[in-house]
């Protein structure tokens, strides 16, 4: 596996760097630097998406036929690394990285023509209706009922931990259209309008004091059958395809940037002189290097035309745990300042001076938010079961 960039790839890297240097405003850079979650506030993600869309770069993994740049796997990797290095805000993943590729794979020509351009432009902002009370990692236990009535399904039930449902105008949703037998066999995949009568969104305030996730209630909501993706009762197959993209790789560039910030802050605080802290930092750096190598191996497989497959479970687990270790290191660097709640000072563009070093301003909310990384997208225990069965053959 050759990790050196070719001359063409080096030229592409320089093109991306020049674009980012010109296109990223100070406000967007600050928003990226002060992000406390993997999900960026749409006040910053959508303007950045529009800038990228104008360049044709909003969806690096999309083929040209659907409005993407048609990049190679290495070009996508280079782009992600350069965006992380430049401090660009992340884009909302639910449309671009999750439901978009699934619409390409399972959508009708009419669904593709309608939804894909609106995802690229940001006109449609998506949320994911998967988890429910009692049906999180055990997703097959979902109970949101969808009863066929003519050209509609009538939905009754609820979804939980729905990220950005309070902003979304669209939801991709798993519903139960059949009971009895194997639970996976009665699941259907629907594309919904969040403004439909009968949908109610209730906020959940996180430990970090932020409104990111929600409960969503469905009271006799009518959803057109034309919004179904794939066949009725075959939504489990569609959902598994989507989860490969949700759990996929590409985390190493961001982890390396975060580690660099921790090292710099620790240097300023004098912690690099402490052998115990330095050993934990080096262990984490080794873990991130291992993730990068794993991503490179999968990158080579993807270049040969294969999907991430069950290996994405390995990267999801490793990436989330490494992120949590980095958060713990930065919180240790923050010391007493980590316990000071400073939401106003964290706001991009704020003139409220931080208490303590700027570098540790987001240490506590990031730590609290990222505790969920070992749960969302399928808990780490579930991922290890998948790895044991499908990768190791146990």
């Amino acid at each position: 596996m050759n990790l050196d960039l070719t001359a063409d790839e080096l030229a592409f890297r320089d093109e991306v760097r020049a674009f980012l240097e010109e296109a990223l405003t100070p406000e967007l850079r600050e928003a990226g630097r002060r992000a406390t979650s993997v999900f960026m506030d749409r006040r910053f993600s959508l303007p950045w998406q529009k800038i990228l869309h104008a360049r044709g770069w909003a969806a690096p993994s999309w083929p040209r036929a659907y409005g993407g740049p048609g990049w190679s796997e290495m070009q996508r990797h280079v782009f992600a690394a350069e965006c992380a290095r430049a401090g660009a805000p992340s884009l909302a993943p639910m449309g671009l990285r999750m439901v978009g590729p699934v619409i390409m794979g399972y959508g009708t020509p009419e669904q593709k023509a309608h939804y894909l351009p609106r995802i690229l432009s940001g006109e449609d902002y998506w949320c994911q209706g998967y988890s429910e009370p009692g049906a999180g990692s055990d997703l097959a236990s979902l109970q949101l009922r969808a009863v066929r009535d003519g050209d509609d399904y009538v939905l009754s039930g609820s979804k939980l931990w729905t990220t950005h449902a309070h902003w979304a105008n669209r939801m991709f949703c798993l519903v139960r259209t059949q009971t009895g037998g194997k639970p996976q066999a009665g699941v259907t995949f629907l594309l919904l309008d969040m403004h439909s009568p009968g949908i109610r969104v209730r906020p959940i305030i996180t430990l970090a004091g932020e409104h990111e996730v929600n409960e969503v209630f469905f009271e006799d909501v009518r959803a057109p059958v034309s919004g179904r993706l794939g066949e009725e009762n075959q939504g489990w197959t569609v959902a598994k395809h989507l989860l490969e993209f949700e759990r996929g790789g590409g985390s190493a560039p961001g982890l390396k940037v975060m580690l660099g910030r921790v090292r710099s802050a620790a240097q300023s605080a004098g912690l690099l002189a402490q052998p115990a802290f330095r050993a934990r930092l080096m262990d984490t750096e080794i873990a991130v290097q291992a993730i990068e190598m794993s991503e490179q191996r999968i990158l080579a497989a993807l270049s040969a035309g294969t999907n991430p497959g069950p290996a994405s479970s390995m990267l999801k687990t490793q990436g989330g745990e490494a992120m949590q270790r980095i958060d713990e290191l930065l919180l240790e660097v923050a010391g007493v300042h980590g316990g000071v709640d400073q939401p106003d000072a964290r706001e991009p563009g704020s003139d409220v001076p931080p208490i303590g070093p700027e570098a540790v301003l987001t240490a506590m909310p990031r730590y609290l938010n990222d505790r969920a990384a070992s749960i969302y997208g399928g808990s780490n225990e579930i991922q290890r079961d998948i790895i044991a069965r499908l990768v190791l053959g146990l």
Side-chain angles (χ1 to χ4, degrees):
M1 182 173 61
N2 185 2
L3 302 183
D4 293 330
L5 298 180
T6 66
D8 286 344
E9 289 163 349
L10 287 171
F12 174 74
R13 183 199 64 186
D14 292 342
E15 179 187 0
V16 172
R17 284 184 179 178
F19 167 76
L20 293 173
E21 182 64 30
E22 179 181 352
L24 277 171
T25 65
E27 183 182 35
L28 289 174
R29 290 179 188 270
E30 185 179 27
R33 188 172 65 250
R34 294 190 176 184
T36 58
S37 167
V38 294
F39 294 97
M40 178 66 62
D41 190 307
R42 69 170 181 175
R43 292 175 299 156
F44 307 105
S45 66
L46 284 180
W48 179 229
Q49 181 173 334
K50 289 180 180 179
I51 292 171
L52 290 172
H53 180 49
R55 182 66 179 251
W57 290 359
S61 63
W62 288 25
R64 290 185 186 275
Y66 295 120
W71 285 342
S72 68
E73 296 296 336
M74 183 56 73
Q75 284 177 309
R76 298 173 204 170
H77 175 78
V78 168
F79 181 73
E82 292 304 315
C83 284
R85 186 189 66 84
S90 60
L91 301 184
M94 277 80 76
L96 293 167
R97 288 176 49 195
M98 295 166 66
V99 76
V102 180
I103 291 172
M104 294 176 204
Y106 289 89
T108 64
E110 293 77 15
Q111 288 171 329
K112 295 175 185 178
H114 176 75
Y115 288 115
L116 295 180
R118 295 167 65 92
I119 292 172
L120 280 176
S121 68
E123 184 176 357
D124 279 345
Y125 194 91
W126 291 79
C127 62
Q128 179 185 41
Y130 273 26
S131 295
E132 297 180 8
S137 291
D138 183 18
L139 191 57
S141 298
L142 66 91
Q143 295 298 317
L144 174 59
R145 293 283 294 140
V147 178
R148 182 75 178 262
D149 182 20
D151 292 333
D152 294 333
Y153 290 105
V154 181
L155 278 57
S156 300
S158 64
K159 292 294 180 180
L160 190 61
W161 311 119
T162 311
T163 303
H164 289 187
H166 54 302
W167 287 335
N169 67 319
R170 305 294 309 179
M171 172 189 279
F172 55 93
C173 185
L174 291 180
V175 299
R176 182 156 299 286
T177 45
Q178 176 180 289
T179 57
K182 192 174 181 180
Q184 291 90 339
V187 173
T188 297
F189 196 108
L190 290 181
L191 308 177
L192 306 177
D193 183 349
M194 285 294 287
H195 297 140
S196 301
I199 294 180
R200 180 166 56 93
V201 178
R202 186 166 69 185
I204 299 174
I205 305 304
T206 67
L207 283 173
E210 298 175 341
H211 179 194
E212 181 177 292
V213 292
N214 306 269
E215 293 178 277
V216 182
F217 300 94
F218 299 82
E219 300 173 3
D220 295 329
V221 175
R222 301 191 75 87
V225 174
S226 60
R228 187 182 68 212
L229 208 58
E231 297 300 319
E232 185 171 292
N233 300 321
Q234 299 300 313
W236 193 254
T237 299
V238 182
K240 288 194 298 183
H241 183 73
L242 184 146
L243 284 171
E244 289 185 8
F245 294 94
E246 181 183 6
R247 296 170 181 166
S251 63
L255 293 173
K256 291 172 71 175
V257 169
M258 291 166 60
L259 262 177
R261 293 175 183 169
V262 170
R263 178 174 281 277
S264 177
Q267 178 70 48
S268 299
L271 281 175
L272 292 185
Q274 298 183 10
F277 179 89
R278 192 166 63 247
R280 289 196 298 277
L281 178 63
M282 293 177 66
D283 283 345
T284 306
E285 289 176 339
I286 291 169
V288 171
Q289 289 177 4
I291 292 169
E292 186 175 30
M293 293 300 103
S294 295
E295 289 181 355
Q296 292 286 355
R297 287 198 301 271
I298 292 175
L299 188 67
L302 286 169
S303 298
T306 61
N307 281 338
S312 62
S313 293
M314 177 181 67
L315 291 179
K316 188 270 179 187
T317 302
Q318 290 180 327
E321 291 180 348
M323 181 167 61
Q324 291 173 341
R325 290 170 66 177
I326 293 170
D327 292 337
E328 291 166 5
L329 289 169
L330 187 59
L331 198 57
E332 185 172 347
V333 173
V336 296
H337 297 116
V340 183
D341 187 21
Q342 306 182 67
D344 292 335
R346 293 198 304 267
E347 186 72 16
S350 171
D351 59 0
V352 177
I355 300 171
E358 165 85 18
V360 300
L361 180 60
T362 62
M364 180 61 81
R366 280 203 69 97
Y367 169 83
L368 293 172
N369 268 318
D370 289 344
R371 301 317 296 170
S374 44
I375 301 174
Y376 61 61
S379 72
N380 284 5
E381 290 78 13
I382 296 294
Q383 305 310 316
R384 287 189 167 92
D385 282 347
I386 293 173
I387 294 166
R389 288 187 290 108
L390 301 181
V391 178
L392 301 178
L394 300 178

